[in-house]
Amino acid sequence: MPTFYLTTPIYYVNARPHLGHAYTTIAADAMVRYRRLAGDDVRFLTGTDEHGDNIARAATAAGVSPQAYADEISATFREMWKSLGISNDDFIRTTEARHKKIVREVLQKLWDAGEIYLGTYGGHYCFGCERFYTEKEIVDGKCPDHQRPLEWIEEQNYFFKMSKYQDWLIGYIKDRPDLIQPGRYRNEILGFLRDPLQDLSISRPRTRLEWGIPLPFDDKYVTYVWFDALINYVSALGDLDSERTRRYWPHVRHMIGKDIVKPHAIYWPCMLKAAGLDVFRELRVTGYWTIEGQKMSKSLGNVVEPPAYTSKYGNDAFRYFLLREMVFGLDADFSDAAFRTRFNADLANDLGNLVSRVTTLIVNLAGGKVPAPDAVARPDDVSGLKAASERAAAETDRAMADFAFHRALAAIWEFIGAVNRYVDTTQPWALAKQPERRAELDTVLYALGESLRVLGVLLVPFVPEAATRIREGLGQPGAPRLSEVVWGRLAPGTPVAKIAGLFPRIEEKKEGPAASATTAPEPSHVSIADFRKVDLRVAEVIAAEPVPKSKKLLKLTVSLGAEQRTIVAGIAEHYAPADLVGKKVVVVANLEPAKLMGVESKGMLLAGSAGPVLGVLSPDRELPPGAKVS
Ligand code: MSP
């Protein structure tokens, strides 16, 4: 039996769980559910990262002790995963005794082996990231992540001799093309390793930071947060020589976001090597979600928390959207409109309707029992469905080996499409009116029931609640198994119940912001002739820069094909200039020129906004600059 041990990052307890945390956890959950379905010996770990400056500061700001603060937010994560139906086998907290014990053990081992020494370190430190930045990484004297000035700190600290592992690490990664995936992150790390690797400062003086695990060989220091955090993956299994550690550790795989590749791909393998532990089997890196085109951030007020969707549309719908929409490893955009479109098209129409149609047909036309197929009636179209189900299962398997959730779902939905078309072409309700075609009807209904049974298994990792309802409606008890995805396993005579309302369609909003028209005065109508006076054009942004002394304005140079001009737009709080260059936008080309903060603007950029969120309009197909918009 293959063994599969998968971990998520352990999340910091200084923010509530949001879409980004949920995505990584859900994707990992879908993966382990698939491996369990395949019969593997699976272990799935998540948890919270609770030490360090940031958490200590957040606790002080909240007026509570760091432990009380960590307890509260950690519980929020644990409850969130429970309510989302995450099937983790364990939940580790870095403040737990079982974790601290292993961290101290690893530190002692490295100290005894001469892998750690006391040295002096001076460097540019970012309190947000809790790490020092090298000269090369600093952008305009600031932390590239937090855009805040870095502080120069000099102190005595303990160092892990990471530099000595540089050549070994390069070789290790080069020998294993699949160790870090997708490949672009592997290349990034190999690129980084072209420069000399520094030793890693692994302690913080307690005079500066109390909230951490004291070093076993010098309690005037606590352990640097990354050194502490990474060890969670192994500490959660128990003692280093425990049966469970021996069983799972050699099979460990980490799923992480692209923000934390460096500690995982560089510090961690070196730490493991020095401690005499196996290096992870693979590092799977996910992209980042933006919200309506913008970075998700507290200051923009656009942080999406899962209950905003799960409470209305269910866990499955949220899960499905995230897994289907993001090409694993690349960035993706979350928007309410995209969520609704996918929900209605894929879940309400394709899947929900199919399940309701098929179960209703079997209940109404076959007395609620799966009829026996007839060996000779309609052999061709039945074998077509069989082949479609086999294609879906095979492609799902290939896709899941690549962590390509979107591809697995596309393959399953191909099959759903084939079954829907089969209902349309065979028209069982018409067959039922012709008693002499009973054998054909039975064969068709059997094929439909069998298709649903297969879906009730294949869908388990992605929409587990719907999959359970399908299997229950089709009288399939017991734990589902991939090995049951073999056409023809559905026993004639199996009772079938109607399954309705799996994914009720989302009707277009009648209330909410869009309805403000009912309370706000109706805008007076504009004649089409008047509207045509507005010359709307597609334009390409050639250059963008802030307007000096203005918080809101950006000066854009746009191309309208034949000409270039300057347009000033009030979007500086929503877009970084670099994000706009190369973007196609829509502008009012014949607006009277106006001077804004001393810069002449010839035209206006169109953007939509709702509350704090603002989005620039962009054509959704390739259109040349200058193209008319009407
Ligand atoms: N505590 C560290 C990880 C230690 S692992 C030994 C940490 N925590 S975190 O709370 O900041 O979580 C970061 C992770 O959350 C990312 O790696 C990613 O998995 C997920 N995401 C956070 N924001 C995200 C998006 N906007 N989009 C996708 N995932 C994101 O870093």
Side-chain angles (χ1 to χ4, degrees), residues 10-12 18 20-21 24 49 226 233 257 259-260 264 287-289:
I10 48 169
Y11 304 107
Y12 286 131
H18 59 56
H21 309 123
T24 314
D49 189 355
W226 272 105
Y233 299 134
D259 52 330
I260 53 177
H264 281 84
Y288 248 52
W289 285 94

Side-chain angles (χ1 to χ4, degrees), residues 156 375 426:
Q156 276 228 311
T426 54

Side-chain angles (χ1 to χ4, degrees), residues 183 386 440 560:
K386 174 172 181 271
E440 278 183 65
L560 290 172

Side-chain angles (χ1 to χ4, degrees), residues 122-127 131-132 141 148-154:
H124 301 282
Y125 191 78
C126 171
F127 281 91
R131 74 171 179 97
F132 289 99
R148 282 201 306 231
L150 293 153
E151 285 173 51
W152 180 261
I153 289 193
E154 223 167 80

